[in-house]
Amino acid sequence: MANVSLESIPIRDPFGPTLAYTRGVQLDTGAEPDKLVRTHCCFCGQQCSMFLKVKDNEVIGLEPDYDFPFNQGKLCPKGVKRYLQNGHPDRLLHAYERDASAPGGFRAMDYAQAIRRVADEIERIQTAYGRDAFGILSGASLTTEKTYLVGKFAHMTLRTTHIDYNGRLCMVSAAAANKKAFGVDRSANPWSDIIGAQVIWISGSNTAECSPITTDYVWQAREHGARVIVVDPRITPIARTCDLFLPIKPGRDAALFNGVLHLMIKNDWLDHDFINHHTVGFEAVAEHAQPWTPQRTAEVTGIAEKAIRQAAEWWGTASTSFLLHARGIEHHSNGVQNVLGAINIVLASGRIGRANCGYGTITGQGNGQGGREHGQKADQLPGARDLGNPEHRAYVASVWGMNPDELPQPGVDAYEIFRKIDQGEIKGLLSICFNPLVSLPDNNFVRAQLEKLEFYVAIDFFLNETARYADIVLPGSLHEEDEGTVTSVEGRVIKINKAVDCPGEARQDWRIIQDIARALGREQGMTFSSPAAIFNELRQASKGGIADYAGITYEKIEQQQGVFWPCPTEEHAGTPRLFEAGSWNPVAQGSGPFYFADGKARFNLCTYLPPAEDVDETYPLILTTGRVISQFLSGTQTRRIGPLVDQYPEPRVEMHPALAQKLGITDEAWVTVESRRGAMTVRALVVNTIRPDTVFIPYHWADRQAVNQLTIAAQDPISKIPAYKVCAVRVRKVDNIEQ
Ligand SMILES: Nc1nc2c(c(=O)[nH]1)N[C@H]1C(S)=C(S)[C@@H](COP(=O)(O)OP(=O)(O)OC[C@H]3O[C@@H](n4cnc5c(=O)[nH]c(N)nc54)[C@H](O)[C@@H]3O)O[C@H]1N2
Ligand SMILES: Nc1nc2c(c(=O)[nH]1)N[C@H]1C(S)=C(S)[C@@H](COP(=O)(O)OP(=O)(O)OC[C@H]3O[C@@H](n4cnc5c(=O)[nH]c(N)nc54)[C@H](O)[C@@H]3O)O[C@H]1N2
Ligand code: SF4
Ligand SMILES: [Mo]
């Protein structure tokens, strides 16, 4: 049983002596490599292609890949430094067991014994408390093969209902809204369609820092004369080069989209032909937009009426356009409504499903797309099938060789899994590729639950902050130590290639999962000998589903530089652009381009609701959270790469000079930011690029530097995404800092 108090954890204390940042051991020395391995980046959903330089079974550097169509040689600072994880002194080389007397609280142990202990604990907990008492948390940085295997392990091997993944924190609002409107959850276009668009609308995306290569597409469009509209409470780097910036008050995007639709209707900037022939539900949405006059929209959003009118006119009168959004509109207690609002203005314009006319939600995690398709989501089976649907259950059970009645029913979201630990329903947990203690909101609650677990096993290549609470830690594989597929921001299925072997006792993640199944004596369906074998079964399991991979092979991926799903047969080339007139899809069967039986897209009401926690006299400021260019997610990887740490070594709170002056705060001064759930002390970053009623803190740090001590665990009722982008705080200057 884990029993760690916060005091016992070594932390980077802003008041105390700074711990040495662990630096990468090698630099690109210019040594002649033994081989170059073509692969993709281990970090974000852009999935840039690159060559890893390998010498003596170590990655010693990298070379750009100018031939891959998406990034054409371009990389961002994280991709360039990723190779410094290989051979890192913190790399887990053994299995570990909690031992309070050992230095660091863990003792290396024999891998086989560790697997035995994990299997015994799973067996014990499931026998004593029922199958659902053991839960699994997985991740979308894993290859699609691994996510498929983990889903199968939960649903078939453990037969537990409790599995969910870290994409629940990321893209589920977009996924839910896309399913409601289009019947399918994938960006609708290849990114090349951005270049020819006349107007580009970007809502809640810090494009230049978080999807850096997309910036290049937007800039190419600008060179062709495109107008760029950016909606964000901060003037982010992409906003500095846009034509119209709408400084929205966090949490108000549904209001803005309704206001824009109102003006489109009023001025008849509509594609009536498209609305009549290809959509359902316009009248109700039009009526709903009626009260959203420019004046009311301006009052709610904090954006000037003139700017709202200008944006609506540019969007309404464009002949080609592309709408992009990311977590800025999705991480909300009404995140699904915000995305539905965005889709409504796309559908009303009729500009989708043809060249240079598109829509996309920008994928976050490396395999954010593939990782949400094949069964590691609480309610899902492979091929984006539904765990609650009897036909879908029967099909997948037939591929797995099991009785469909034995498949569990849909489970709950990742945060709810922690609530169920609190309620005593879940007693044991396996996590792979997830660091919930840093990344979930109101993380003091998460910490308390980790302490309650009877047994917790974590699979990772570094000891992340959550894994410090584990009873057993199993050494998984780095990206470059395994092969498999991922699906990029465009919906392009691509191939990760293995460059080096796992060091020490570390194992490829899929082998570890299968080792546990074998030790449990439940190896049926868990005897794959390679990622290729897993992929071949996945093709079969996804066949006929919405995310149909049946016609994709590793060879075809190499030949075509990736294959866009759906791809139903080996003869089919894949589907780069969804919703083209006359295009095939597995649901409409030729009746129309959208993924419903009648082939039509759905307008959905986009209901504006204020954020779950709004400001008041006690907590008068809005806190919004997000990212910086050089750090990645919970930071377990990038906080270990020296050159990236140098770029942004610690969290700072961004605030406007007017606010800073009012509070007597100067740049770099230490300030305490406090919410109803917690407080943290960080240095101020006084910038005139943020709304004066809002402060921003990036979330890549742990313990007392974790902004998720402050955030609220409110969730969207449909998608269950946490509302990371709005909570209420107060800020004060710290006068006496004890050194
Ligand atoms: N450098 C870097 N790149 C990354 C990642 C990383 O950690 N670091 N993570 C990857 C992942 S998993 C993801 S999900 C993506 C995230 O990519 P983004 O969504 O682009 O990044 P965020 O910083 O979360 O938020 C985007 C913007 O939303 C704005 N915002 C806040 N509240 C609101 C609001 O109410 N409305 C609007 N319109 N905007 C708002 C913020 O000011 C911020 O500029 O990035 C991916 N790429
Ligand atoms: N306040 C606030 N919180 C947020 C957000 C925000 O904007 N604001 N954003 C949210 C979003 S969008 C996201 S995506 C989440 C991400 O949150 P997490 O998923 O918790 O963050 P990661 O850093 O990706 O943690 C993944 C862990 O997996 C490990 N890992 C990576 N690749 C592999 C692999 O191939 N195999 C194995 N075994 N392990 C691997 C890493 O070492 C790391 O320890 O955070 C969310 N949290
Ligand atoms: S982090 Fe994203 S943009 Fe940067 S190199 Fe990797 S895949 Fe490309
Ligand atoms: Mo994400």
Side-chain angles (χ1 to χ4, degrees), residues 91-162:
R91 177 77 166 87
L92 297 178
L93 302 177
H94 302 278
Y96 286 89
E97 171 175 50
R98 165 164 300 286
D99 178 351
S101 64
F106 285 96
R107 186 173 63 74
M109 76 184 294
D110 176 63
Y111 174 82
Q113 274 178 10
I115 293 287
R116 182 71 266 149
R117 167 103 194 274
V118 172
D120 288 348
E121 289 287 346
I122 293 175
E123 194 71 66
R124 182 184 67 76
I125 287 170
Q126 289 199 311
T127 307
Y129 306 107
R131 282 195 296 273
D132 296 341
F134 200 89
I136 295 185
L137 291 173
S138 187
S141 296
L142 297 172
T143 59
T144 307
E145 286 80 347
K146 294 179 192 184
T147 65
Y148 171 84
L149 191 80
V150 175
K152 188 178 180 189
F153 178 77
H155 292 130
M156 180 176 175
T157 311
L158 299 192
R159 289 175 55 202
T160 173
T161 182
H162 291 135

Side-chain angles (χ1 to χ4, degrees), residues 438-480:
V438 177
S439 55
L440 280 175
D442 190 8
N443 70 358
N444 286 319
F445 175 77
V446 175
R447 184 189 311 279
Q449 305 326 312
L450 290 168
E451 287 177 349
K452 279 190 198 153
L453 284 167
E454 287 189 11
F455 180 74
Y456 170 34
V457 51
I459 306 174
D460 210 301
F461 43 77
F462 290 137
L463 187 73
N464 72 33
E465 288 76 11
T466 316
R468 289 181 197 162
Y469 289 77
D471 299 280
I472 297 281
V473 179
L474 296 170
S477 45
L478 265 178
H479 201 256
E480 51 265 46

Side-chain angles (χ1 to χ4, degrees), residues 395-441:
Y395 178 74
V396 173
S398 75
V399 175
W400 289 353
M402 68 185 284
N403 179 346
D405 296 338
E406 292 182 345
L407 281 172
Q409 290 298 325
V412 298
D413 67 87
Y415 208 85
E416 196 63 24
I417 284 184
F418 283 94
R419 295 194 186 104
K420 285 196 180 293
I421 297 171
D422 187 32
Q423 291 149 10
E425 284 180 45
I426 296 180
K427 304 281 190 185
L429 186 70
L430 178 150
S431 75
I432 174 167
C433 193
F434 199 161
N435 191 10
L437 185 55
V438 177
S439 55
L440 280 175

Side-chain angles (χ1 to χ4, degrees), residues 206 210 232 234 251 253 327 627-629 631 633 725:
N206 181 358
C210 300
D232 202 296
R234 302 185 304 137
D253 294 85
R327 305 309 84 75
R627 304 158 156 75
V628 296
I629 178 86
Q631 296 287 346
L633 301 182
K725 294 293 189 263

Side-chain angles (χ1 to χ4, degrees), residues 118 293 404 504 534:
V118 172
T293 59
I534 304 174

Side-chain angles (χ1 to χ4, degrees), residues 660-679:
Q661 195 182 17
K662 199 168 109 192
L663 299 173
I665 292 166
T666 48
D667 192 37
E668 301 213 355
W670 288 101
V671 298
T672 297
V673 185
E674 201 177 344
S675 78
R676 289 189 174 80
R677 294 149 295 278

Side-chain angles (χ1 to χ4, degrees), residues 41 43-48 50 75-80 211-213:
C41 182
F43 294 127
C44 86
Q46 306 283 288
Q47 284 304 297
C48 297
M50 58 180 66
L75 295 167
C76 87
K78 293 182 299 304
V80 170
S211 42
I213 309 304

